[in-house]
Amino acid sequence: MATGLSRTPKRARTDADQTEFWSAWDEFSAAWRAARGRAAQETPDGLTHSQFRLLCAVAESPDGRCGQLAEQIGVAAPTVTRMLSGLEAAGFVTRAPSAEDRRGVCVHLTAAGREALRAKEEVVARKRQTLYDWLSPVERRQATELFRRLADELDVL
């Protein structure tokens, strides 16, 4: 007599489901990294996604300090310092001693930095719109909920 229930043991299904889940996660992560790499080639300045995020943070922080910028983009302060060196060499930012703190350094966008940021924002906006349009309305709602749940849980991992 068939009951409609699977004869596969629950533990085996759970292991297979988990393997499938993490395989999909790894595929997504690899695709995300590849897309970020390709995006750096789509603007004349070659800004990486990380550099773009840092320029956004500098633009949003009138007296951007390295520690504050690092916290904003979720990296260590030495990483921001190295990134800023490259952005400064490219002419996108300037660093100057803080008037309030002898050890502090304030970061500001240059005209070239503002232009690079604007160009990259256009590329990102186009790509986001393409992805958004590709999803159905139901998928958009599901993805929105899932992204928010994952963001909340990633803090505890």
Side-chain angles (χ1 to χ4, degrees):
M1 171 195 245
T3 63
L5 298 176
S6 170
R7 295 223 178 255
T8 306
K10 185 176 181 179
R11 174 78 174 160
R13 277 196 318 268
T14 302
D15 290 346
D17 290 347
Q18 197 169 111
T19 298
E20 181 73 15
F21 176 86
W22 290 116
S23 175
W25 176 268
D26 291 342
E27 290 171 28
F28 175 78
S29 294
W32 180 261
R33 286 189 305 275
R36 286 174 52 175
R38 285 190 308 273
Q41 300 169 6
E42 294 183 14
T43 50
D45 48 55
L47 277 180
T48 67
H49 185 72
S50 297
Q51 291 169 324
F52 168 66
R53 287 181 46 232
L54 182 53
L55 286 182
C56 288
V58 170
E60 294 168 5
S61 304
D63 292 321
R65 296 262 186 66
C66 289
Q68 173 192 6
L69 295 170
E71 189 174 312
Q72 255 182 289
I73 67 169
V75 300
T79 301
V80 164
T81 300
R82 283 191 303 275
M83 291 172 66
L84 287 172
S85 293
L87 292 170
E88 188 174 35
F92 295 149
V93 298
T94 59
R95 292 187 275 192
S98 169
E100 301 169 8
D101 177 5
R102 287 187 322 182
R103 297 180 318 163
V105 174
C106 294
V107 183
H108 300 280
L109 289 177
T110 63
R114 284 189 293 280
E115 177 56 30
L117 181 57
R118 186 200 58 73
K120 191 66 163 192
E121 285 172 333
E122 288 178 9
V123 170
V124 169
R126 274 195 316 272
K127 290 191 163 298
R128 285 182 170 191
Q129 189 64 51
T130 299
L131 179 60
Y132 183 84
D133 292 343
W134 180 75
L135 297 170
S136 72
V138 170
E139 290 170 325
R140 290 176 197 147
R141 284 190 298 277
Q142 290 171 333
T144 299
E145 181 181 331
L146 183 58
F147 290 154
R148 289 201 171 112
R149 285 183 59 208
L150 287 170
D152 288 343
E153 288 303 313
L154 287 176
D155 284 344
V156 298
L157 292 180

